[in-house]
Amino acid sequence: MAGRRQYPFDLIEPKWQQRWDELEAFRAWNPGVTIPPAHPFAVRHQAPAETLPKYYILDMFPYPSGAGLHVGHPEGYTATDILARYKRACGLHVLHPMGWDAFGLPAEQYAIKTGQHPRKTTETNVATFKRQIKSLGFSYDWSRELDTTDPHYFKWTQWIFLKLYNSWFNPATNKAEPIEKLPLPPELAEGNSPDMEARRRGYRDARRLAYVSEAPVWWCEQLGTVLANEEVVDGKSEVGGFPVTRKPMRQWMLRITAYAERLLQDLDSIEWSDSLKEMQRNWIGRSEGAEVDFQVAGHAEKIRVFTTRPDTLFGATYMVLAPEHRLVDIITGPAQKAAVQEYKTAVAKKSDLERTELAKEKTGVPTGAFAINPVTGQQIAIWIADYVLISYGTGAIMAVPGHDTRDYEFATRFHLPVLQVVEPPAGIPWQGFVDDGLAVNSSNAEISLSGLATPEAKRLISEWLAKKGLGKKTTNYKLRDWLFSRQRYWGEPFPIIWKTGLSGVPYHEALPESALPVMPPVLDDYKPTSDGQPPLARAKDWVNLPDGSTRETNSMPQWAGSCWYYLRYLDAQNAEAFCRPAAERYWMGTAKVEGQTTPGVDLYVGGTEHAVLHLLYARFWHKVLFDLGLVSTAEPFFKLVNQGLILGEDGQKMSKSRGNVINPDVILADYGADALRLYEMFMGPLEMTKPWSTKGVEGVYRFLGRVWRIFVDEQSETDYEQNCTANPEAASRFLAQIALSASIQATPATPAQLKALHACIKKVTEDLDGMRFNTAISALMVFINEAIGWPTKPAVVLREFLVLLQPFSPHLAEELWDKLKAVDGRADAGSMAYAVWPKFDPARLVEDTLEIPVQVNGKLRDVLRVPAAITPAELEAAAKASEKVKPYLAGKTIRKVIVVPRKLVSIAAA
RNA sequence: GCCCGCGUGGCGGAAUUGGCAGACGCGCUAGAUUCAGGUUCUAGUAGGUAACACUGUACAGGUUCAAGUCCUGUCGCGGGCACCA
């Protein structure tokens, strides 16, 4: 490291971290809990904790990887810690917890390689993360620490799964309801035969929020597991970037699509960034349109299509089915059978990556069949092509090549007819015009759209189709149901068993709550079995139950634990419930508390990588729990902020291969936690991507050194090289012998000193409210730059400054706060954890003179120093009288003079 | 291709939302302290000029007494979505 140590942070920081631990200084108190009278919380607040307004501030909990903390972690954690400390100082009851999202692939892959149990790896990694996080002095309530792999935790993850399993979505009420209350159709209502029982069971199973499906799913050979849509990026696995293929498998699904509309609508009720909301909107992918039925000529079959442009129906000149469409084999003519089969096979062999990457040129083959356009009566060819996806809409489209880019490309390639049915604004060619215009060439004997603007044409044709029974208005979503099972060992087992029903058909049943937690079996080998079964299937004793039923061998995805951890923090130790209602209502802000306005988590900070995975899944679970009356808010996270990425010093993304990774442990050892915290906040706005600079750390470190030297007598810091780090007593003796500077006195502050202080209070307070940490720190620096020149420094002023510094660099602030006792004798200075935030007094900032810039024709010509009480007329006169201004007015006529009181004078002259 | 966001000194970034562009920090220059290096302290630091003038917030226009900020177009960078009918 460069330079001498600025101050003994290596003694100060462990001392205060230990003190906070001993005091349990940052514990948050649930309703009904008695607070020890000596606790600083009780000392500050006379009222019971549950009558104070709460502030729930949450970090995205980390996956404890083997690599340890990287510098991105402390960025978000410092931001939330500063706010947690600030809100505590402002008198709010702050909940600020931390835990571990510890199920996941790396621990399992390490187990496959070494045979070491993932539990062991996880424990080691958690210990490392905890040590690192603690060394940064964050004010977490560690009594609420949780770990998703702890049976006391995942018992309740399994319990919530049972809630999903035992619920269905009632479209009439738009809510999840218990499955027992699902109305049965009349034909199933009666009869107790085994057959009727099985049919009733089938009816219910098809409607549960957690259900089993045989549909094609993403399979990743390298990872040996299936993946959710959200985990597949550009045809590759999000983790590892391995190829994935489509494969029909029996899997557990969660019916998130039932919540598509609410997940979309409720975005309007929460304070997230526009870009993040937009990402969720895109993912949900709502589009309004119509379904239209096309009769297949010479067949009984109809083809149903979804279109967002029913107004272009007159321009539909052919149709396309997805190659996987049910009707393809039925309608294909004998002459086309071979070609169609060949095309289907070719498409099936393509991975999704190839299907999109090689999509430069459209492909397809005709089926030989024709459909009848319901408005023109024309026969139009039916093709199959892989640009139509089986998974969206109905898997079939009406092609309007005149006004759809993809259809236009296809029609051009295969010489299919192109008709104009929309008139663009003047000057734009109609071919391939896809925006709104005026309908043309769109009339038949019964209906005419011609001349109508696109929205009206859509409305009219939809009504007409509905009246004729040919179609109806409908809404489609891109969102698919959530594939919820994985072929992995290191995840929550499902609380599900399988039984054999009539004629050998297997069916599933939930285990009772009393069977929770379902523990995973002990295994020697964590690989999937050779026949592609999940590793849990290897444990025969575990799988096979005495009554002949067998356990579900899939496990839950990593997202399961993070879907509800923010609720477990509210009542983390509770063995009887996932969360007690009183605690839930208090911390989620729905209990009646004076001054409480925010529903849900007040502030959630984390990376943008969870924009559509964790944040969508958690909202979904929360809404189900809300419907079932288990939580009291419709949304979990009221305000959400994404921290920006920290790049390497070379401006590139940090990576081992580039060799530009900054290890926070090294920074910590060289400059201390306070400097690291301060630097990460000083780099720039929290949400921005910004490069690391170790020189920048030195800068804020020097600032902390200046703060230290304002307070202490430099002559008394005798021996910096003395090593007391390993010996707390020696450290404490050493720190105690460092005397306060003689310039600090219990004297009243001068007006100039109060002005500097209150300017700082104002700026820091406003900037913290707006989460502008970088400019708040610059205000602290401005204050110190000024105060360092004061011959005598009043203790009252410095105490208030320390309260402002404390959220940012709490260790140094505590040490100096403690030392100030020697001058002002204030004995209440044991810990700053609940020190009261100073109030800014505008009276202290009143200026008696102002500097007023004077412009002539927009150019600055003078700056006048004038009394603050000056009238606009006097100000104008003073401006015109200025010797610096006069030459620019000479020989010109003043056309206009603008006087902005207390701001500026602008003269226009010609 | 479509949808967001952003372009300010050598660098990270400020600018009360239309009112003195460059706060604060890094770096750099000079001086003091020191045997010396480091540290610390003091002064300076957008370009330009001997000093003024003048020029400057990606580029080109526009609105205004006044534009980094508002409007139109262009270019560049970052992120998201990507055959979603």
Side-chain angles (χ1 to χ4, degrees):
Chain A
M1 103 185 244
R4 184 189 76 164
R5 189 169 38 185
Q6 296 272 345
Y7 69 105
F9 63 83
D10 54 332
L11 306 182
I12 294 172
E13 292 178 356
K15 168 183 164 182
W16 288 100
Q17 284 162 18
Q18 196 191 338
R19 192 73 57 89
W20 296 326
D21 264 356
E22 287 162 1
L23 278 171
E24 293 193 283
F26 306 111
R27 253 189 88 172
W29 309 91
N30 273 12
V33 173
T34 311
I35 308 173
H39 191 277
F41 186 98
V43 173
R44 166 146 184 204
H45 300 286
Q46 307 308 314
E50 66 258 39
T51 63
L52 294 170
K54 61 89 189 182
Y55 190 80
Y56 184 4
I57 182 162
L58 181 68
D59 292 299
M60 287 186 187
F61 65 163
Y63 173 77
S65 73
L69 227 54
H70 58 76
V71 290
H73 287 115
E75 187 190 15
Y77 301 164
T78 302
T80 53
D81 194 59
I82 288 168
L83 290 172
R85 288 171 178 271
Y86 168 60
K87 296 289 180 182
R88 249 181 237 116
C90 291
L92 295 173
H93 187 191
V94 172
L95 175 59
H96 188 38
M98 179 46 72
W100 319 107
D101 185 18
F103 274 129
L105 204 54
E108 176 160 328
Q109 285 180 330
Y110 190 71
I112 292 172
K113 256 201 324 228
T114 64
Q116 166 150 277
H117 195 284
R119 156 80 44 220
K120 192 95 190 103
T121 316
T122 301
E123 276 169 10
T124 311
N125 293 350
V126 164
T128 305
F129 263 66
K130 191 169 177 181
R131 174 188 61 74
Q132 290 184 302
I133 285 177
K134 284 208 139 189
S135 69
L136 283 158
F138 296 131
S139 63
Y140 292 121
D141 176 355
W142 287 103
S143 75
R144 295 169 190 257
E145 177 183 3
L146 57 79
D147 171 349
T148 54
T149 68
D150 180 345
H152 299 294
Y153 181 89
F154 72 67
K155 167 181 177 172
W156 298 106
T157 309
Q158 293 169 335
W159 182 83
I160 295 172
F161 174 82
L162 288 182
K163 294 289 165 197
L164 288 153
Y165 179 86
N166 286 319
S167 303
W168 69 293
F169 191 84
N170 184 345
T173 58
N174 202 23
K175 283 173 60 175
E177 292 175 11
I179 195 83
E180 311 94 72
K181 296 201 184 141
L182 172 66
L184 293 170
E187 67 270 21
L188 295 181
E190 284 174 34
N192 293 321
S193 66
D195 176 56
M196 284 309 291
E197 285 291 345
R199 287 174 60 190
R200 274 199 286 272
R201 187 165 56 232
Y203 184 83
R204 286 198 188 97
D205 287 351
R207 282 156 186 79
R208 296 176 188 274
L209 290 184
Y211 64 97
V212 173
S213 148
E214 276 284 349
V217 296
W218 294 117
W219 167 258
C220 179
E221 192 66 43
Q222 272 80 357
L223 295 176
T225 182
V226 296
L227 297 169
N229 289 330
E230 291 81 356
E231 294 171 302
V232 176
V233 179
D234 293 335
K236 286 176 282 193
S237 65
E238 196 194 26
V239 176
F242 301 118
V244 295
T245 51
R246 237 26 191 156
K247 189 170 162 182
M249 286 175 75
R250 196 214 74 199
Q251 295 295 325
W252 285 93
M253 309 288 289
L254 297 186
R255 207 176 298 281
I256 190 171
T257 51
Y259 284 83
E261 192 59 37
R262 280 169 62 187
L263 288 168
L264 187 68
Q265 291 295 326
D266 289 355
L267 285 173
D268 295 336
S269 71
I270 52 184
E271 288 183 13
W272 294 15
S273 71
D274 289 339
S275 68
L276 194 66
K277 285 188 181 183
E278 200 52 33
M279 279 200 238
Q280 292 226 338
R281 286 196 191 101
N282 273 337
W283 195 263
I284 295 166
R286 182 184 206 271
S287 61
E288 274 181 32
E291 284 179 350
V292 185
D293 288 335
F294 284 66
Q295 183 66 50
V296 181
H299 275 272
E301 300 286 355
K302 286 179 178 157
I303 297 172
R304 175 165 293 180
V305 303
F306 172 73
T307 176
T308 55
R309 294 295 300 271
D311 60 298
T312 61
L313 184 50
F314 283 89
T317 54
Y318 66 100
M319 300 189 78
V320 185
L321 304 182
E324 303 89 345
H325 196 281
R326 179 184 70 86
L327 290 177
V328 171
D329 292 335
I330 299 171
I331 63 171
T332 299
Q336 288 78 20
K337 270 253 142 58
V340 164
Q341 196 49 52
E342 192 187 333
Y343 186 76
K344 281 178 67 173
T345 316
V347 168
K349 267 200 288 199
K350 285 189 201 171
S351 73
D352 210 62
L353 180 64
E354 293 169 307
R355 201 163 150 169
T356 49
E357 266 193 355
L358 305 177
K360 310 267 187 291
E361 186 93 296
K362 295 229 175 333
T363 60
V365 291
T367 61
F370 290 83
I372 296 160
N373 183 319
V375 286
T376 64
Q378 296 282 317
Q379 291 217 351
I380 58 177
I382 304 171
W383 286 61
I384 66 170
D386 66 357
Y387 81 92
V388 173
L389 308 174
I390 189 66
S391 54
Y392 184 77
T394 61
I397 62 156
M398 65 176 205
V400 184
H403 306 286
D404 181 281
T405 320
R406 298 144 302 176
D407 296 345
Y408 184 71
E409 259 177 59
F410 192 82
T412 310
R413 172 116 201 260
F414 294 105
H415 310 293
L416 293 157
V418 181
L419 293 180
Q420 179 187 11
V421 290
V422 180
E423 180 67 25
I428 301 173
W430 67 267
Q431 284 95 342
F433 175 77
V434 298
D435 297 327
D436 285 10
L438 293 179
V440 292
N441 307 328
S442 299
S443 303
N444 65 21
E446 290 184 46
I447 181 164
S448 173
L449 306 176
S450 299
L452 292 179
T454 301
E456 281 82 67
K458 281 183 183 174
R459 198 163 39 76
L460 192 64
I461 188 73
S462 298
E463 281 167 15
W464 185 82
L465 287 167
K467 202 171 69 194
K468 304 286 280 185
L470 294 168
K472 61 168 199 285
K473 271 181 76 169
T474 179
T475 303
N476 246 302
Y477 301 89
K478 281 196 261 182
L479 185 68
R480 301 270 75 92
D481 274 343
W482 176 13
L483 172 61
F484 192 68
S485 44
R486 300 290 183 278
Q487 291 70 52
R488 284 191 191 156
Y489 174 76
W490 195 227
E492 301 88 347
F494 281 82
I496 293 288
I497 53 169
W498 288 82
K499 294 188 169 175
T500 307
L502 293 175
S503 54
V505 181
Y507 65 92
H508 47 78
E509 239 176 41
L511 287 167
E513 279 180 33
S514 59
L516 304 182
V518 178
M519 301 290 290
V522 179
L523 291 184
D524 303 321
D525 186 352
Y526 305 97
K527 282 197 286 293
T529 62
S530 50
D531 55 353
Q533 287 287 303
L536 295 187
R538 216 184 280 279
K540 295 279 182 283
D541 293 348
W542 180 84
V543 171
N544 297 307
L545 297 171
D547 66 353
S549 56
T550 59
R551 289 185 190 273
E552 170 64 52
T553 55
N554 283 300
S555 61
M556 298 187 200
Q558 187 178 359
W559 311 106
S562 59
C563 269
W564 72 284
Y565 75 108
Y566 59 94
L567 293 169
R568 186 59 178 173
Y569 282 138
L570 309 184
D571 200 8
Q573 309 294 335
N574 196 328
E576 263 71 55
F578 86 109
C579 178
R580 207 157 36 103
E584 191 275 331
R585 283 198 304 273
Y586 175 69
W587 289 116
M588 296 302 273
T590 51
K592 281 209 175 65
V593 173
E594 185 75 26
Q596 185 63 57
T597 50
T598 308
V601 174
D602 295 70
L603 179 66
Y604 193 19
V605 175
T608 183
E609 67 272 20
H610 295 301
V612 285
L613 291 153
H614 160 62
L615 287 173
L616 197 63
Y617 296 153
R619 291 181 64 216
F620 162 51
W621 276 36
H622 195 89
K623 286 182 184 306
V624 175
L625 294 172
F626 176 65
D627 288 351
L628 300 177
L630 294 164
V631 298
S632 57
T633 64
E635 283 287 331
F637 314 120
F638 179 70
K639 185 176 165 80
L640 186 136
V641 171
N642 284 129
Q643 81 221 39
L645 201 63
I646 296 180
L647 305 173
E649 298 211 65
D650 54 0
Q652 302 288 111
K653 210 171 160 174
M654 282 193 198
S655 76
K656 266 183 253 158
S657 57
R658 284 202 188 87
N660 60 355
V661 177
I662 301 291
N663 181 347
D665 275 348
V666 173
I667 303 297
L668 217 66
D670 287 353
Y671 304 99
D674 283 340
L676 175 58
R677 294 169 56 116
L678 202 59
Y679 173 65
E680 294 220 7
M681 294 299 101
F682 188 60
M683 293 170 84
L686 179 63
E687 299 185 57
M688 193 180 274
T689 301
K690 45 213 176 274
W692 179 269
S693 159
T694 300
K695 283 286 186 193
V697 185
E698 285 180 28
V700 296
Y701 179 54
R702 273 201 283 271
F703 161 70
L704 292 175
R706 278 204 300 283
V707 174
W708 173 253
R709 287 191 301 275
I710 272 192
F711 279 83
V712 306
D713 174 8
E714 286 193 74
Q715 300 309 309
S716 80
E717 356 169 8
T718 47
D719 189 0
Y720 273 157
E721 299 314 313
Q722 176 178 343
N723 186 359
C724 328
T725 312
N727 182 346
E729 256 181 60
S732 147
R733 244 182 293 118
F734 176 70
L735 284 174
Q737 90 198 10
I738 296 173
L740 265 189
S741 160
S743 67
I744 297 178
Q745 292 170 20
T747 50
T750 66
Q753 290 170 332
L754 285 175
K755 192 173 144 193
L757 174 68
H758 282 267
C760 188
I761 297 173
K762 180 174 195 284
K763 181 77 176 141
V764 173
T765 306
E766 288 171 356
D767 283 350
L768 284 182
D769 287 335
M771 295 183 71
R772 293 180 297 265
F773 304 103
N774 54 331
T775 50
I777 293 166
S778 117
L780 296 172
M781 290 172 166
V782 169
F783 174 84
I784 285 297
N785 288 345
E786 182 164 349
I788 209 159
W790 297 343
T792 55
K793 305 172 182 82
V796 278
V797 171
L798 293 187
R799 267 219 194 272
E800 300 232 309
F801 168 77
L802 288 178
V803 182
L804 303 179
L805 178 67
Q806 184 265 149
F808 299 88
S809 294
H811 309 87
L812 178 61
E814 288 264 23
E815 182 65 28
L816 297 175
W817 178 261
D818 196 39
K819 279 210 178 297
L820 272 185
K821 269 193 293 194
V823 167
D824 67 9
R826 274 181 57 183
D828 59 336
S831 165
M832 292 190 80
Y834 295 88
V836 177
W837 194 256
K839 218 169 136 39
F840 144 69
D841 179 359
R844 299 297 179 196
L845 283 185
V846 173
E847 304 270 359
D848 39 9
T849 63
L850 296 172
E851 285 186 353
I852 304 293
V854 180
Q855 295 178 355
V856 179
N857 289 335
K859 291 211 163 67
L860 180 70
R861 295 305 177 191
D862 195 12
V863 178
L864 303 175
R865 181 155 268 292
V866 297
I870 197 167
T871 66
E874 287 166 344
L875 190 53
E876 180 175 339
K880 286 177 183 164
S882 157
E883 289 306 320
K884 288 189 190 160
V885 168
K886 273 181 182 169
Y888 295 96
L889 297 176
K892 291 181 179 168
T893 318
I894 295 176
R895 288 192 321 197
K896 199 170 180 183
V897 178
I898 302 204
V899 180
V900 183
R902 304 178 64 84
K903 277 278 162 57
L904 99 168
V905 179
S906 180
I907 301 171

